[in-house]
Amino acid sequence: MKKGNRWLHFALIVAISFAMTMTVSAMSQAGDANDSKTLENLQAAFNGESNAHAKYLAYANKAGEEGYLKVAALFRAAAYAEEVHLNNHAKVIKGMGARPKAEIKLPEIHSTEQNLADAIKGETYEQTVMYPDFIAQAEKEQNDAAIETFSYAEAAEAEHAKLYAKALSNLNEWKVADAGFGVCPLCGYTVEGKATFTKCPVCGTPVDDYKLVI
Ligand code: FE2
Ligand code: FE2
Ligand code: FE2
């Protein structure tokens, strides 16, 4: 190779290396999980589920003290479902290269009647506003794992809201513990008593794997 050609060859290699470095850097910035709004939503959901889990266990104790044994079982079942949700969200957060973060702040514990009203409010917000918004954003980002974990939680929160409403309007009959509640260990779907289906209607888990909470 002539001297002039060698320089041209060298300059070309430098230019190509520079262009490749810039491209890789731009790609890694575009794919940076920390820029994702969905990651922020997953952290908010992880924090919400962690707080709901702790709050429902406290509400279960209060219901037990007040003699509402079936309400106590429902709070414990919902607490387990929220634990399923927080673990599902945590897996997706970790898969995106981040660390799940939650700050537990227990509210003041009131009467079981008031605690049920508070629980209905929280579940209704999650099911009608929060999770639908989070799912829409995850769809925009084509994040299938986030869509799945948000959708599992959304379906379970709808059942929780219904079960809490049923408990509130039958408070006196819910003093006696009966067949308990079944909770799906994969999606947190919650049913009163024995499930009448063979597979979870949300995620397909065999109903025999449901956890019974009494
Ligand atoms: Fe939940
Ligand atoms: Fe819930
Ligand atoms: Fe399920």
Side-chain angles (χ1 to χ4, degrees):
M1 201 182 286
K2 282 184 185 171
K3 200 175 175 186
N5 281 353
R6 265 209 309 270
W7 277 111
L8 188 65
H9 189 73
F10 176 71
L12 205 63
I13 288 172
V14 170
I16 290 170
S17 308
F18 179 73
M20 280 174 72
T21 308
M22 294 305 285
T23 309
V24 168
S25 151
M27 278 168 67
S28 71
Q29 270 174 24
D32 189 342
N34 295 322
D35 289 344
S36 158
K37 175 75 183 151
T38 288
L39 178 60
E40 212 180 298
N41 292 341
L42 281 160
Q43 291 285 21
F46 176 77
N47 188 61
E49 297 288 353
S50 302
N51 275 278
H53 170 255
K55 183 171 81 173
Y56 291 163
L57 289 179
Y59 285 177
N61 280 341
K62 182 71 179 176
E65 278 169 27
E66 291 186 339
Y68 296 111
L69 301 186
K70 187 170 171 179
V71 182
L74 172 58
F75 277 129
R76 278 194 295 274
Y80 172 65
E82 313 312 1
E83 190 182 340
V84 169
H85 297 157
L86 72 92
N87 285 328
N88 287 348
H89 295 341
K91 263 183 230 159
V92 183
I93 292 169
K94 286 180 193 162
M96 292 174 79
R99 205 167 53 86
K101 282 176 244 159
E103 194 187 337
I104 308 294
K105 289 185 206 152
L106 271 184
E108 247 183 85
I109 310 299
H110 300 287
S111 68
T112 294
E113 193 173 359
Q114 286 167 296
N115 294 340
L116 280 168
D118 169 74
I120 293 167
K121 213 167 107 188
E123 298 286 355
T124 306
Y125 166 73
E126 287 185 354
Q127 180 236 328
T128 59
V129 180
M130 188 183 94
Y131 280 122
D133 285 355
F134 288 0
I135 291 166
Q137 179 63 32
E139 279 168 353
K140 269 191 218 156
E141 294 180 30
Q142 297 181 326
N143 185 331
D144 291 343
I147 294 168
E148 184 178 80
T149 190
F150 289 151
S151 303
Y152 282 178
E154 183 189 45
E157 315 312 7
E159 294 311 301
H160 293 167
K162 281 186 218 159
L163 289 166
Y164 285 144
K166 191 172 173 187
L168 190 55
S169 43
N170 295 282
L171 211 44
N172 281 333
E173 291 87 82
W174 282 49
K175 285 187 168 167
V176 183
D178 53 16
F181 297 85
V183 185
C184 179
L186 188 66
C187 74
Y189 193 75
T190 307
V191 290
E192 182 185 352
K194 191 150 173 53
T196 50
F197 41 80
T198 53
K199 279 183 175 184
C200 177
V202 177
C203 73
T205 292
V207 79
D208 292 346
D209 293 346
Y210 265 39
K211 183 183 166 89
L212 179 68
V213 182
I214 47 172

